Every structure is written in C-alpha cells, then in structure tokens.
Amino acid sequence: QQQVKQSPQSLIVQKGGISIINCAYENTAFDYFPWYQQFPGKGPALLIAIRPDVSEKKEGRFTISFNKSAKQFSLHIMDSQPGDSATYFCAASRGDYKLSFGAGTTVTVRA
Amino acid sequence: KAGVTQTPRYLIKTRGQQVTLSCSPISGHRSVSWYQQTPGQGLQFLFEYFSETQRNKGNFPGRFSGRQFSNSRSEMNVSTLELGDSALYLCASSLYPIPGQSTDTQYFGPGTRLTVL
C-alpha cells in the first residue's frame, strides 16, 4: 500500500521550460515532505523540503507548493536545464524517521 | 565533511547465502536508516537505529536485520538470500533525531548494489 502517490511517471521538457511533479498523500499525520533527486548510480540527494504550516517554499529554481486541505504537494522546476535530467522522488514522514516515498518521476530535459 | 559511506558498493551472492552491508554515517550523525530500492517496489524503509537501538522497522521479513555500534556505524544483514532481494540498499543518516518531532534531513549514501543469482 503506497502511502504517497506520485505523478507523472516520466516527463520530457525543453530546456528553459517548467517541470511539474505532483504528489498526494492520505495520512494526515505526515508533517514533513521532502523531495529527493537521484542520478543513475547515486543515492538520493535532498533537494528541498516543506512542513505543513507553509504553503510554498522556494530554493533557487526549485519550488514546493503545498495544499494541506487537498493533501497534495508538488515540485516545480523552473528554467529546466539538461543537468536536471534525473529521477525525482517525493516523500513524507510523521516524525518517526521513516520516509514513505512516491514511485518516482524520470525527468528528461531536451537541449 | 565526508558524506555517508557504504561498503561494499557492489556484491554478488547466490541464493541461500547471507550478506552483511556496512554504513558509516556523517560525522556527528546519530540516526541511521536503511532503505531498499528496486524497480518494482521503489524505495522502501527497512529500519532506523539511534543509540544502538532499533526504533522503527518496516514491513520486511525477519531475514532482514541490522545493528548499530557505539560510534553510530551500522550494519544490515540479510540471511537466506532470495532472488527478490536483489536491490540497491541505501543507508541514510540524520543529525539530531528527536522522537515525536518531524523528521530531520536524511542524507543518503551511494548505496550497495546487491545481486542475488
């Protein structure tokens, strides 16, 4: 039973475009929502994270939007670059150091 | 500061054997978590250790076990290997785990790629 549902499975975007990845959760006890980026042969690296008391958080070209009432959150990658081509995972946890991950989205940025 | 290190990086075993994987957390980090990553099941939580105690466990059979040493280094063991255990095993460490509070940042190592033949 997947606690965090992520879509789309993959997406292709042109260089300079915007990539949008969506996640939804059911467990209202979740209170920490990180996004990870993973390149082939590497472990996931934390990109950005948000807690439910904030509706949006921006770090550089990466923005998380959080909708607590809808139990949804999304990652926007602005001005996408070829180096952003990777797999992105959303995750959630409830203070127990147990991250529940989405299935992942493979992003391909075409030059 | 050095990141999370995992050894070995690659392992090939046969069914029925057992395997031990090692993880050294970032210096000063006291919480270590383990995850299994497969194409079919994605990233799944195995267990988390703090101060040599397992505080949380995922839905894996008892063949999967782990431990943490006084220096925060951790090992996980898989006994009686099955073909389905082939996966990337990831270790992650956190700085100051405070029970009941939101998960602090978890930093992942590069993983150990286990292949079971």
XYZ file of all heavy atoms in Angstrom, chain A residues 13-16 37 39 61 79-86 88 107-111:
162
model
N 10.802 17.691 -21.021
C 10.627 19.145 -21.088
C 11.786 19.732 -21.878
O 12.896 19.200 -21.877
C 10.555 19.736 -19.654
C 11.855 19.504 -18.892
C 10.184 21.201 -19.677
N 11.503 20.818 -22.545
C 12.545 21.511 -23.291
C 13.379 22.355 -22.344
O 12.882 22.838 -21.298
C 11.941 22.396 -24.375
C 11.237 21.623 -25.480
C 12.185 20.748 -26.277
O 13.294 21.144 -26.628
N 11.738 19.534 -26.574
N 14.610 22.550 -22.704
C 15.495 23.420 -21.919
C 14.838 24.786 -21.754
O 14.308 25.357 -22.727
C 16.837 23.566 -22.638
C 17.838 24.458 -21.911
C 19.136 24.576 -22.699
C 20.084 25.583 -22.043
N 21.312 25.774 -22.834
N 14.827 25.255 -20.519
C 14.207 26.534 -20.212
C 12.748 26.421 -19.800
O 12.155 27.389 -19.322
N 16.382 14.097 -5.358
C 16.827 13.964 -6.744
C 17.833 12.817 -6.788
O 18.737 12.754 -5.948
C 17.487 15.269 -7.198
C 18.058 15.274 -8.605
C 18.912 16.522 -8.829
O 19.858 16.810 -8.102
N 18.557 17.308 -9.842
N 20.419 10.608 -9.402
C 21.061 10.331 -10.692
C 21.436 8.851 -10.737
O 21.637 8.225 -9.691
C 22.317 11.200 -10.867
C 22.016 12.665 -10.986
C 22.240 13.533 -9.933
C 21.498 13.187 -12.173
C 21.961 14.890 -10.039
C 21.221 14.547 -12.289
C 21.438 15.387 -11.208
N 15.876 27.448 -8.371
C 14.892 27.150 -9.425
C 13.838 26.131 -8.982
O 12.960 25.767 -9.763
C 15.626 26.626 -10.658
C 16.584 27.642 -11.297
C 17.224 27.137 -12.571
N 18.140 26.028 -12.329
C 17.868 24.760 -12.641
N 16.726 24.433 -13.222
N 18.763 23.804 -12.405
N 12.960 26.995 -15.400
C 14.134 27.126 -16.285
C 14.922 25.811 -16.306
O 16.126 25.782 -16.035
C 15.014 28.284 -15.796
C 16.153 28.609 -16.735
O 16.027 28.332 -17.939
O 17.197 29.119 -16.244
N 14.248 24.722 -16.630
C 14.864 23.395 -16.605
C 16.117 23.333 -17.477
O 16.148 23.875 -18.589
C 13.855 22.343 -17.076
O 12.760 22.263 -16.193
N 17.140 22.666 -16.951
C 18.419 22.523 -17.638
C 18.722 21.044 -17.882
O 18.243 20.188 -17.131
C 19.532 23.142 -16.795
C 19.351 24.617 -16.517
C 19.387 25.449 -17.793
O 20.273 25.295 -18.632
N 18.397 26.327 -17.953
N 19.548 20.737 -18.888
C 19.885 19.326 -19.136
C 20.443 18.624 -17.897
O 20.200 17.434 -17.691
C 20.927 19.420 -20.262
C 20.542 20.664 -21.005
C 20.075 21.623 -19.935
N 21.147 19.348 -17.056
C 21.692 18.769 -15.828
C 20.630 18.404 -14.808
O 20.931 17.722 -13.826
N 19.394 18.847 -15.040
C 18.285 18.482 -14.146
C 17.703 17.120 -14.501
O 16.839 16.612 -13.778
C 17.160 19.526 -14.241
C 17.591 20.894 -13.765
O 18.519 20.984 -12.922
O 17.007 21.905 -14.240
N 18.148 16.539 -15.614
C 17.650 15.224 -16.021
C 18.032 14.206 -14.954
O 19.218 13.948 -14.705
C 18.239 14.821 -17.378
O 17.806 15.710 -18.387
N 17.024 13.651 -14.303
C 17.230 12.763 -13.157
C 15.873 12.175 -12.781
O 14.851 12.497 -13.385
C 17.817 13.538 -11.971
N 13.138 12.062 -9.753
C 12.735 12.849 -8.591
C 11.722 12.051 -7.767
O 10.786 11.462 -8.309
C 12.133 14.178 -9.040
C 13.160 15.069 -9.704
C 13.507 14.875 -11.040
C 13.819 16.066 -8.996
C 14.480 15.663 -11.641
C 14.779 16.859 -9.590
C 15.114 16.643 -10.912
O 16.080 17.419 -11.517
N 12.667 12.698 -15.169
C 12.606 13.950 -15.929
C 13.731 13.962 -16.949
O 14.891 13.726 -16.610
C 12.722 15.165 -14.984
C 12.828 16.454 -15.791
C 11.552 15.205 -14.021
N 13.363 14.238 -18.186
C 14.356 14.380 -19.258
C 14.241 15.792 -19.809
O 13.149 16.209 -20.224
C 14.108 13.371 -20.395
O 14.135 12.048 -19.847
C 15.181 13.504 -21.473
N 15.343 16.517 -19.782
C 15.361 17.880 -20.304
C 16.092 17.857 -21.637
O 17.269 17.507 -21.704
C 16.051 18.847 -19.320
C 16.023 20.274 -19.880
C 15.375 18.787 -17.957
N 15.375 18.215 -22.690
C 15.946 18.224 -24.044
C 16.587 19.579 -24.335
O 15.971 20.621 -24.103
C 14.853 17.940 -25.078
C 14.278 16.535 -24.965
C 14.914 15.609 -25.975
N 14.647 14.219 -25.645
C 13.570 13.553 -26.051
N 12.650 14.170 -26.790
N 13.402 12.291 -25.726
N 17.790 19.518 -24.840
C 18.522 20.769 -25.125
C 17.973 21.472 -26.366
O 17.331 20.850 -27.209
C 20.006 20.480 -25.319
